[in-house]
Amino acid sequence: MYFKALSSGADIVCLELEDGVAPKDKEQARNNAIELFENDAEVDDGVERVLRINCVRSEVGLSDVQAVLESKRPPPVIMMPKVLGADEIVWLDDLLAERGHSTRLHVIIETNQGLENVARIARASTRIDALFFGGYDMAAELRCNMAWEPLLYARSRLVHAAASEGLDAIDVPYLDLNDDSGMRREAELSHSLGYCGKGAIHPKQISILKEVFTPSSQKVKRAREIIEAFSKADTGLVVIDGKLIEKPVIREMQRVLSLVDSS
């Protein structure tokens, strides 16, 4: 399933050790995952390989960390669930640095305490590449419906923290595999809020999510035109088609082109 996932068109493929694995299977799953990463061929396919470990405040999470530290070829990225504070990030960063591992970090914010500390968490380590919104756990803790409106504040705080540190913000997966229109609608709302991606739990969701989060050809063309006009004007602002274009707009247009260049 892992190698099939690598060819699914996803930007990130995450091996699961946390909630998706029964307690009795944790050790076997850990051993299998470490073996996969140690034997995974170095292929420049543009797919980011990630291992989601268990919470580092748990015994099984500590065992996951120990296995990563002992590995001669660790996962390129570790995804940390249920992070409550920056101290967890600093602790793992220090251990990886001591071992000489260059492993990057993805951090899931899915508790109220984590949300309260999200700004400090985001700047706790230069290893962090992305913040992930764990909406289902968050909704359960806040005792609210797993819907857009009740979680808008939480989603927004994560986006603000990610933007402050130049990190990616990734939204929670949509679990109803039979509701493509509902997933598209939620993905579009997430995109408009500032998220740059959304988790998928099945390959059938990937094409829709790519459509939502990949800039359209019209938007790319417009970005190139604006950047070119701004460059030729050689001023702090320029008027294009009656609209005032300043440097913040240029930064957004450059971000659009960077998404296309990296795809």
Side-chain angles (χ1 to χ4, degrees), residues 149-208:
E149 291 80 6
L151 290 173
L152 179 56
Y153 171 74
R155 272 190 170 98
S156 298
R157 281 197 63 173
L158 188 143
V159 167
H160 285 218
S164 295
E165 300 302 320
L167 307 176
D168 289 340
I170 310 295
D171 195 26
V172 63
Y174 195 82
L175 299 188
D176 189 343
L177 293 176
N178 296 317
D179 185 12
D180 289 348
S181 61
M183 184 188 69
R184 179 185 290 274
R185 182 169 59 253
E186 187 171 281
E188 288 172 346
L189 288 169
S190 299
H191 183 255
S192 68
L193 194 63
Y195 282 84
C196 59
K198 188 172 180 65
I201 61 169
H202 191 279
K204 66 177 289 186
Q205 297 178 319
I206 294 173
S207 60
I208 295 175

Side-chain angles (χ1 to χ4, degrees), residues 60-122:
V60 67
L62 292 177
S63 296
D64 293 341
V65 171
Q66 187 65 40
V68 170
L69 294 175
E70 292 175 354
S71 175
K72 295 180 179 179
R73 191 177 180 190
V77 183
I78 288 175
M79 183 178 290
M80 300 178 65
K82 298 179 176 64
V83 173
L84 300 183
D87 58 313
E88 297 170 46
I89 309 295
V90 174
W91 174 79
L92 183 54
D93 187 325
D94 287 346
L95 289 175
L96 292 169
E98 181 182 35
R99 182 65 174 83
H101 287 342
S102 60
T103 301
R104 308 294 297 170
L105 299 177
H106 288 175
V107 178
I108 309 179
I109 304 298
E110 49 190 334
T111 68
N112 193 43
Q113 186 174 337
L115 188 65
E116 285 297 305
N117 294 322
V118 66
R120 288 187 290 274
I121 290 171

